[in-house]
Structure formats: structure tokens, C-alpha cells
Amino acid sequence: MKVLKFGGTSIKDADRIRNVLSIIGRTAQESDIIVVVSAIRKVTDLLLDAAVTASKGDAGYSKRLSEIETLHRGLVEDLITADGRKEVEEYLRKELNELGDVLHGVSLLRELSDKSRALIMSFGERFSALIISSYLRQEGLEASYADARNMIVTDTNHCDARVDMKASAKRIKAWFKEAKGIQVVTGYIGTAPDGTTTTLGRGGSDYSATIIGSALGADEIQVWTDVDGFFSADPKRVRDAYVIPFISYGEAMELSHSGAKVLHPYSVHPAMKSGIPITIRNSYNPDAEGTHIGGADKNDERAERPVTGLSSINNVVLLTLSGSGMIGVPGIASRLFSCLARHMINIIFISQASSEQSISLVVNLAQAEKARRVLEEEFSPEITARQVESLAVRKRIAIIAVVGNNMSGHPGVSAHLFETLGKNGINVIAVAQGANEMNISFVIDNQDEDKALNCIHESFFLSRRKVHVFIAGTGTIAKSLMGQIRDHSLTLRKEMNLDVVVSGMANTRMKVFRNDGIDLDTWENALEPRDDGKTIGDYVAGIKARNLHNTIFVDCTASGDVAESYPDLLASNISVVTANKLGMAGSWKLFETIRSAQQSSNARFLYETNVGAGLPIINTLNDLKNSGDRIIRIEGVLSGTLSYIFNELRKGGKFSEIVRKARAAGYTEPDPREDLSGADFARKFLILGRELGYRLNYEDIDCESLVPENLRGEMSVEAFLEELGSVDSDYEARISKAAERDMTIAYTGEISEGKARISVNMLPVSNPVAGLNGTENMVVFTTDRYLDTPLVVKGPGAGGEVTAGGVFADILRIAGYLV
């Protein structure tokens, strides 16, 4: 024998009820069955709304009553043929009249007692069971309507009744001993010893099914709903959640009590006690296997996975009782919990410090104010005597439960869990774990619920991890970066189990957000005009509002405004990768603010491309420092543009012609004076000087400008290039003079003893700088370890592809840290 329970969504309209008929008919060919039904979708809410409206003396309850009547009469007309319709309509009329009378009485008294509320709420299941049983008979099945109030005995807590299992089992057995055919039973409702109607709490039809199945020793209890089974997490919140083929009774209870709405929290215990398997099935997809709930793990694939599933409850309230007067005082906890029990306040979560100085507990929002009031009354003497502080109330929080049988005796689960949360900047307010190690529950802010569920799920359940990238800027570097991410994505998935998801892009005119990722082939078409003031603050606010896990902000601009947003991003635990020098080479105040935000955050801040594009200069410098080496001096060429110009000079070209050639090749800014001023070189040396620990500002860098003084005023680029020929003879003379001494000239810099200088210098032809080609950069580290033979880092120091490659490498470094 099998018990089949159908939820409200499974019978929400005539088509769904016809679908239920096919499920019942197919199962009835294999075994005897009992059917338990909920109210039709929306009806329970309509009944509650009608009851509350009536209690205010508002005649508007009649509108809800009409909606309920219309909904059920419509089902009767659609499902029941004319021959059998009269009997069903007569029953409906009688029941609707009774419901109307009760609501009218509530309206007159302007009082809604729990007894009245339970009676009103019972009509939904009574209507649906009658209509479905009548429809089954019409379609050739021997079926009868069965009112669960004749079977299930409860206490007098009318709206959330506790079941008397012994008395209920006796009545259930007696009922089904006489019953014939398929009994269509009203779920959710029962009866108190005085004969008044009670309800088992929202979703209680699941409980009804397992009570009946347990009493009768059923072979299986099937709970038919609108999802394919128990998921590893709520699929509405976690896109990658998947159906769990099997979970144990204990895991199902933990997940249900912790917020998983697939099954009523009390449903598992009767079935577990009788050893009856429960199967969660999808009435919209009846061929799906669903989730099997039983007493032993039948899925060998789960053996090495410690966590089975995640669930959460949001918008609850944390109450904390604390004070030095609680330490070592017997009975505090007893008084607290007894007080709440007397007032029928349900506790969802409990956590107590080992010092006994505080007890934290979580209750539903609807009961929070009552809980606060009664506890403050209970502990009024201690509060007055300052032995206990006033009750602390924290709203808008969520509880997340990490559940799994295999967590027991599996070291490292907690460490892995809290490390994942910490890296994503999720603050854990309170923690509770049972001694059986099956459930780790923790409290966080509501706003972090989705982020926490996704990062935990990804960390424990998926082999492939994600990082969400938000890019500022859509210029050359950004375009190259998008191409590199696209071209390398398959390799990253295969070799690193990593998805780099570009979830946002913006410039001053356009932006786009896609949490699930922008198409890397058509991203330029996805950009939409901005209407948010075109400020970086609006873009950052959009990123923060999405609150995605493993988030990296990538700055591909040269904007000071964007650089000033780094502290805010880091403070929000969003890692930053930047090719923009105006952060680390900005004002000392901004530099310190960024450093401070970085140190107080779990986010990472990488800026390797600030100095040498794709060259590992900053990483090399920090490796030397961190390993205890003393850096004596840093020398080199850190401008690809100026490296190219002087490399060409050594070949015999004219300075002005080389500058024109470099501009035509795209090696310079549109205005070459920006490169010739040495400003970019100076910013790079400023960053290196600060990395060495020197307190330097831009003005402290002694930088020789290559723009002649008479050409530094306002003039067009074309006029400047025309006049630049006036310095050709000077450079020819310098080259000639150096050659006479077997030397050459180069635009180089040096940092030592807290000072930095950049200028045109005469160097031996044997110097490594004299061997540079094209736009190559070079940095020479002279240290205690590399004293006789300095450490040289050399390679391309400019170009969109090279810089984008450095940015991409920094993204992958942070991804490695995060996942």
C-alpha cells in the first residue's frame, strides 16, 4: 500500500487535476493507495485573508469568499459532468454557507480566536478532497471523500496542533478497516479532544500523509509537489543546485527544520519511526526519479562528500540575553526556555558562549516582539540590578544550515566553511552545531544570504568554481582582456576547473550587468546607455547591490575617480585588479587609504601592470622583500615609448622623426608630450619607491622632461611636432659625445636611499639597457643577495595585449585565492 500526497500546486487547476488522475490511476494498478490532498493553490491564503478582514469588521471578507466560491465552482464545471455535478454543487453550497456563517460571526464579534481561525482554514482541504474524490469516481475509480478530522487527534493548540500519535493510529486503523476503494483524505487538519477543528501548521498535509502511512504500515509515502525533489540548495537562489537522489531521514529532518520547504518539518519522524521510505516526486515531471528518503545511504557516489545539502530561513530575529550576572548561575537557561515555552514561542536556533555570559536564540519575526516583551518581564529583577543587560534584538537576519551525515568525523568541514565565508566578506554573527555533527547552522545578515548559499554550494558541491568579474573601461586593454578570457575559457575549465564570468562592464557612456555572464563574443552590443549620472560611484553601487560571491573589480581605465573607489570596493570585500596607476601613484592620502582598506579586508588588491605591463616587477620586488633580502638599488627603463625612441636614436635616427614614427605606430599617446614629459615613468618609479617603504609623493621624483621648455605652452600636436626638430642636433651631439667614450645614452631611472631620479644618462655600451630593442622595458634589482650580479627583469613593457595579459594573470591569482 502507498500513500500519495498532492500539494496545492499539483491540483491548482483542472488540467493539473487531470494530470493527478493519471498518476493515481497508474499507481493504483500496482498497489492499494490512499490519497491525501492539500487545498488548491491560493485558497489557504484567501481563507486567511478573509478571516483577518472579517476580524476587523470589514465586509470586504465577502469578496474573498466569492473568489473562493468562483474558483471551486469553476473546477466543478470543468471536471464534473452534468450527471454528477448536482451532488457536488450541493455539498459545496452547504460548506460555503457554513464558511460564510463563521466569517460573519467573526465580523460581528471582531475577534478571531485560534479556534475560529483553524475552522476557517480547514475548508480549503475539505473542498479539494470532495472535488477530487468525485472526479476520480466519475473517471471509473472507486474513490471516497475522507475527512481527516475523523482520524487525526491533536491537542487544543488549534493553529499549530501537536498530534496524539497513539490515539490517531487507533482511529486511522479503525477508519481504513471499514473503508473501501481509494480514500481521498483532507490533509492539514485534525480534531481536538473536544471535537473542535485543528490544523497542523502551514504545509501540514505532508505530515498528515506520513501519520496515516505510519499508522497503516505503508510500503511507501509519495509526496507529489512542483519540484523534482530535495535540491542541494534552493534552486531559486542557487542556480547550480541539483536534485539529491537520496538523503537519510536525519538529513531530511535537519533540512526541513532549517528552511527547506519541500517537506513539512514534522513529516519525517512518523515515517522514520516505522521505517517507511518517503519519495519526493514532481507532479509536473512524473517520470523524474525524485528524492528517496530512507534509513540507509544507497548512493555510493556520496560516500566521500561530507555535505548533503544547504537550507536557509530569512527575515528572522536574533535575541541575545547577556550579562556578567549569568556566569555560573544555575537556572538561567531553564528560565529563558520555560518562559518562551509558556508563551508558545518557537525557537529556531540556539547558541551559548562557553563563558555562560550570553545566550542567543532566533525566533520568527511574527513572534519576536512578544518574545522580547516576555523575556524582559521574566528577567526584570536582573535587568534592574544590572546583572543582565537589556535584551539585544537584531532584525533582518538569516540562518543557513549546512547538513550532511558524513560531516561527522570528517575533519576540516568547519574550517573550509568559514574560510569560504571569510574570503567573501560574509560576517558570521552566531554559530551552532549539534554533537552529532550533522548540522552546522550560522546566523548572517539577510543581505548576504544568496551570496553565502552560492559560495558554500560552489565550494562543497561543484568541481568547477566561478569568479565574477566587473570591468571598468572599454578601451584597448579591456578589449584585449575580453578576448583573452574568451580564448582561454575552455583551458581554464579543463585545467583549473574555473569559470571567469564577466558580469559587468562600464565606461562613462555605457554599461551592462549580467549576473550569469556577458557573452564575450558580442559584449560591445550588450552595452546600454547609462542613465545613472555616469559616475564610477553608480557602477560600484550596482556591483555591491548584486553582492555576488567571488567578485573581482578590474580597472582598465586611467581615471583618478575610478582609483578613488578602491577603498570602498575593498571595504566591501570586493577584490581589485588594476592597470590604472592613479591609485598607487596618487596622493599619499589615497595611497594610505587603499593600503588601510586592503589590510582590514579579506579582499585582494593586485596592480602588477602598474609598473611593467605584463612583466613580474612588483611580484619580484615583494618576493625579495618578503624573503628577507635587502634591496639596495632599483634601476632601469620603465617606459616602452621612451625605450623605443632611444633605441632608435642609437641606430642613427633623428629625435623628431622617431617621435613621429612612434606616434604613427601607436607607441605614444595621441599627444606625445604626455610620454616625453616622463610623467608615466615617474608614476611607475613612485609606485616602486612606495613599495620599498619610502614616503614619496609625485613631486619628490626628480624627473627630467624631454619636452623642450619653449614647447611646453599651449600649442597643437602638429605644431609641436613641427617645432620638435629644433632639438635633433642636441641629441645628435649627445650620441656623438657618448660614442667617443664607447658609451651611449638612454632615458633611465634609479631609486636608492629614499630618492628617485629619472633622466637622460650616458651608459657603457656593455650596459644591459644598451641592448634593449623596440619597446622593451628593463628593471635591475641590486640587493644583498644579487650584489655582484644584479637581478634583471626584461621584456615588453607596453601594449594592450601585454598589459591585458598581466591583468588576466592578476585575476587568476585572486581566483586561486578565492576558490
Side-chain angles (χ1 to χ4, degrees):
M1 187 265 288
K2 296 179 181 179
V3 177
L4 280 62
K5 179 265 174 179
F6 294 94
T9 54
S10 296
I11 56 172
K12 69 176 184 177
D13 55 36
D15 287 340
R16 300 314 309 167
I17 293 174
R18 292 186 182 97
N19 180 66
V20 163
L21 169 67
S22 67
I23 295 171
I24 292 172
R26 185 172 59 206
T27 309
Q29 292 176 359
E30 303 169 355
S31 63
D32 293 335
I33 64 170
I34 297 168
V35 175
V36 177
V37 295
S38 299
I40 293 163
R41 190 172 71 92
K42 292 185 178 180
V43 169
T44 301
D45 289 334
L46 287 170
L47 287 166
L48 179 59
D49 191 12
V52 172
T53 303
S55 70
K56 298 175 182 177
D58 186 343
Y61 74 84
S62 59
K63 181 179 179 181
R64 295 288 177 264
L65 185 60
S66 295
E67 289 181 50
I68 293 167
E69 180 176 1
T70 299
L71 180 60
H72 289 92
R73 289 195 183 279
L75 282 178
V76 172
E77 290 178 9
D78 202 339
L79 293 170
I80 310 299
T81 60
D83 294 341
R85 194 177 298 163
K86 183 178 180 180
E87 180 182 349
V88 180
E89 287 182 336
E90 178 60 27
Y91 175 87
L92 271 180
R93 185 189 63 77
K94 177 183 175 184
E95 294 289 284
L96 285 164
N97 286 341
E98 181 185 344
L99 174 59
D101 290 342
V102 176
L103 288 169
H104 182 59
V106 169
S107 177
L108 291 174
L109 294 172
R110 298 196 178 191
E111 180 183 352
L112 181 62
S113 67
D114 284 351
K115 186 182 293 187
S116 298
R117 184 192 299 260
L119 177 60
I120 292 168
M121 301 294 281
S122 72
F123 280 90
E125 279 70 18
R126 290 154 64 181
F127 292 152
S128 63
L130 175 83
I131 293 171
I132 291 171
S133 62
S134 300
Y135 176 61
L136 294 180
R137 284 197 304 275
Q138 173 185 289
E139 298 303 311
L141 296 174
E142 185 180 358
S144 303
Y145 166 78
D147 192 330
R149 292 178 294 179
N150 297 317
M151 310 176 201
I152 296 177
V153 182
T154 72
D155 63 12
T156 55
N157 184 24
H158 288 85
C159 291
D160 192 12
R162 298 295 178 265
V163 176
D164 183 334
M165 300 300 292
K166 187 175 181 180
S168 297
K170 184 177 180 181
R171 286 198 183 186
I172 290 167
K173 289 175 182 176
W175 179 275
F176 283 96
K177 184 177 180 180
E178 301 298 327
K180 295 181 180 180
I182 299 171
Q183 297 293 294
V184 181
V185 185
T186 56
Y188 176 57
I189 61 177
T191 187
D194 62 359
T196 55
T197 298
T198 60
T199 61
L200 306 182
R202 291 298 291 263
S205 295
D206 298 340
Y207 194 18
S208 303
T210 59
I211 292 167
I212 293 169
S214 173
L216 298 175
D219 295 309
E220 182 186 9
I221 299 164
Q222 296 178 0
V223 176
W224 290 87
T225 181
D226 59 353
V227 294
D228 284 342
F230 259 106
F231 279 74
S232 53
D234 184 348
K236 295 178 181 177
R237 296 180 176 274
V238 180
R239 186 180 181 186
D240 297 319
Y242 57 86
V243 176
I244 309 169
F246 171 85
I247 58 175
S248 68
Y249 290 124
E251 290 169 327
M253 281 196 291
E254 293 285 356
L255 288 169
S256 297
H257 277 281
S258 301
K261 296 180 175 61
V262 179
L263 200 60
H264 188 279
Y266 299 149
S267 300
V268 179
H269 187 263
M272 178 175 69
K273 190 174 180 181
S274 301
I276 300 170
I278 303 173
T279 306
I280 309 297
R281 303 288 295 276
N282 188 352
S283 63
Y284 289 69
N285 183 20
D287 294 329
E289 291 294 325
T291 297
H292 181 85
I293 303 170
D297 190 345
K298 298 180 181 179
N299 188 347
D300 294 334
E301 294 179 2
R302 289 196 333 152
E304 296 182 1
R305 177 170 290 162
V307 177
T308 298
L310 312 176
S311 60
S312 64
I313 306 172
N314 58 24
N315 206 26
V316 289
V317 179
L318 179 71
L319 305 175
T320 301
L321 186 71
S322 62
S324 58
M326 295 170 56
I327 300 174
V329 178
I332 293 289
S334 173
R335 285 173 59 194
L336 186 151
F337 298 127
S338 297
C339 174
L340 295 176
R342 284 197 307 273
H343 292 87
M344 305 304 293
I345 295 171
N346 184 46
I347 302 172
I348 305 170
F349 170 100
I350 303 168
S351 178
Q352 182 173 15
S354 60
S355 66
E356 303 180 42
Q357 190 169 345
S358 69
I359 301 175
S360 295
L361 52 93
V362 174
V363 299
N364 287 319
L365 178 62
Q367 294 186 307
E369 180 56 31
K370 180 180 179 182
R372 182 200 61 77
R373 188 181 70 251
V374 300
L375 286 177
E376 288 189 344
E377 289 174 0
E378 175 70 26
F379 290 96
S380 175
E382 288 84 357
I383 293 173
T384 302
R386 298 182 180 272
Q387 296 173 330
V388 173
E389 299 173 12
S390 295
L391 200 70
V393 179
R394 186 162 182 170
K395 297 182 179 180
R396 292 181 291 277
I397 64 165
I399 302 172
I400 292 182
V402 180
V403 175
N405 272 338
N406 294 333
M407 292 198 307
S408 177
H410 199 294
V413 174
S414 294
H416 186 55
L417 169 64
F418 294 114
E419 180 185 23
T420 299
L421 294 171
K423 286 178 177 179
N424 280 277
I426 298 168
N427 181 45
V428 176
I429 301 167
V431 181
Q433 180 175 12
N436 63 5
E437 300 183 60
M438 189 188 292
N439 184 336
I440 302 174
S441 294
F442 57 91
V443 177
I444 60 173
D445 284 329
N446 260 353
Q447 63 182 12
D448 288 327
E449 182 183 6
D450 285 2
K451 184 178 183 180
L453 286 170
N454 277 276
C455 70
I456 296 168
H457 187 271
E458 189 173 283
S459 184
F460 280 102
F461 292 93
L462 304 181
S463 58
R464 186 184 300 163
R465 312 292 178 80
K466 292 178 184 175
V467 292
H468 297 93
V469 173
F470 292 86
I471 299 174
T474 57
T476 302
I477 296 173
K479 289 178 180 177
S480 296
L481 176 62
M482 292 292 278
Q484 291 178 18
I485 294 173
R486 178 196 62 216
D487 296 342
H488 201 49
S489 59
L490 291 178
T491 302
L492 289 176
R493 290 171 186 167
K494 183 178 180 180
E495 297 184 1
M496 294 179 61
N497 287 320
L498 179 67
D499 273 332
V500 178
V501 180
V502 180
S503 298
M505 294 192 75
N507 56 32
T508 56
R509 305 175 312 280
M510 314 280 281
K511 74 174 180 180
V512 60
F513 284 115
R514 297 281 190 278
N515 287 4
D516 298 327
I518 301 165
D519 188 326
L520 301 184
D521 288 314
T522 61
W523 63 269
E524 290 179 275
N525 296 330
L527 290 165
E528 299 173 349
R530 295 180 64 171
D531 56 1
D532 55 11
K534 302 180 181 179
T535 67
I536 182 61
D538 295 311
Y539 184 46
V540 170
I543 297 170
K544 290 163 62 177
R546 278 153 182 79
N547 205 24
L548 298 176
H549 66 293
N550 298 342
T551 296
I552 304 173
F553 177 84
V554 180
D555 183 3
C556 294
T557 74
S559 165
D561 290 340
V562 177
E564 289 179 359
S565 71
Y566 300 164
D568 184 23
L569 289 159
L570 293 167
S572 301
N573 277 283
I574 296 171
S575 294
V576 176
V577 172
T578 178
N580 181 358
K581 292 181 264 305
L582 298 183
M584 299 309 283
S587 68
W588 181 258
K589 181 180 179 181
L590 177 59
F591 174 81
E592 282 193 315
T593 305
I594 293 171
R595 281 290 192 221
S596 176
Q598 180 186 8
Q599 290 166 2
S600 60
S601 169
N602 288 324
R604 292 296 178 93
F605 178 66
L606 297 183
Y607 47 97
E608 181 66 73
T609 55
N610 278 196
V611 175
L615 298 180
I617 295 172
I618 293 176
N619 279 337
T620 301
L621 186 156
N622 285 322
D623 286 346
L624 292 170
K625 283 173 50 184
N626 295 336
S627 65
D629 202 356
R630 183 175 69 93
I631 298 172
I632 300 169
R633 184 169 58 254
I634 298 176
E635 304 166 272
V637 176
L638 281 175
S639 168
T641 301
L642 297 175
S643 177
Y644 172 81
I645 290 172
F646 280 84
N647 291 340
E648 292 298 307
L649 272 175
R650 285 193 288 274
K651 297 176 183 178
K654 291 184 178 182
F655 186 83
S656 61
E657 291 179 356
I658 294 169
V659 172
R660 291 190 188 96
K661 183 179 176 182
R663 182 172 183 262
Y667 295 153
T668 73
E669 296 295 331
D671 187 344
R673 284 171 289 188
E674 294 181 29
D675 300 285
L676 296 175
S677 69
D680 185 62
F681 198 151
R683 291 192 188 97
K684 294 176 180 179
F685 255 45
L686 175 59
I687 293 170
L688 291 179
R690 287 174 170 177
E691 287 295 312
L692 290 174
Y694 301 136
R695 179 166 182 150
L696 296 173
N697 284 306
Y698 182 79
E699 298 77 20
D700 299 322
I701 308 298
D702 184 0
C703 180
E704 177 186 352
S705 174
L706 302 184
V707 180
E709 285 192 31
N710 62 317
L711 302 182
R712 294 178 188 176
E714 291 186 10
M715 64 170 61
S716 67
V717 174
E718 289 71 21
F720 166 74
L721 292 173
E722 188 68 30
E723 297 291 333
L724 189 59
S726 62
V727 301
D728 288 346
S729 59
D730 178 50
Y731 282 101
E732 288 174 4
R734 288 192 185 193
I735 290 285
S736 178
K737 184 177 179 180
E740 291 174 1
R741 301 171 58 181
D742 197 23
M743 301 182 81
T744 187
I745 64 171
Y747 190 73
T748 65
E750 178 182 325
I751 304 174
S752 64
E753 298 180 350
K755 296 181 179 180
R757 175 174 174 76
I758 304 166
S759 61
V760 178
N761 293 296
M762 194 178 295
L763 304 171
V765 293
S766 59
N767 189 295
V769 171
L772 292 176
N773 293 302
T775 61
E776 287 182 331
N777 280 3
M778 175 185 287
V779 173
V780 180
F781 294 97
T782 301
T783 74
D784 283 346
R785 293 176 189 158
Y786 295 91
L787 187 59
D788 296 330
T789 306
L791 177 62
V792 176
V793 178
K794 173 185 173 184
E801 283 292 325
V802 172
T803 304
V807 169
F808 195 11
D810 277 350
I811 291 171
L812 296 180
R813 288 188 187 98
I814 292 178
Y817 158 74
L818 289 173
V819 304

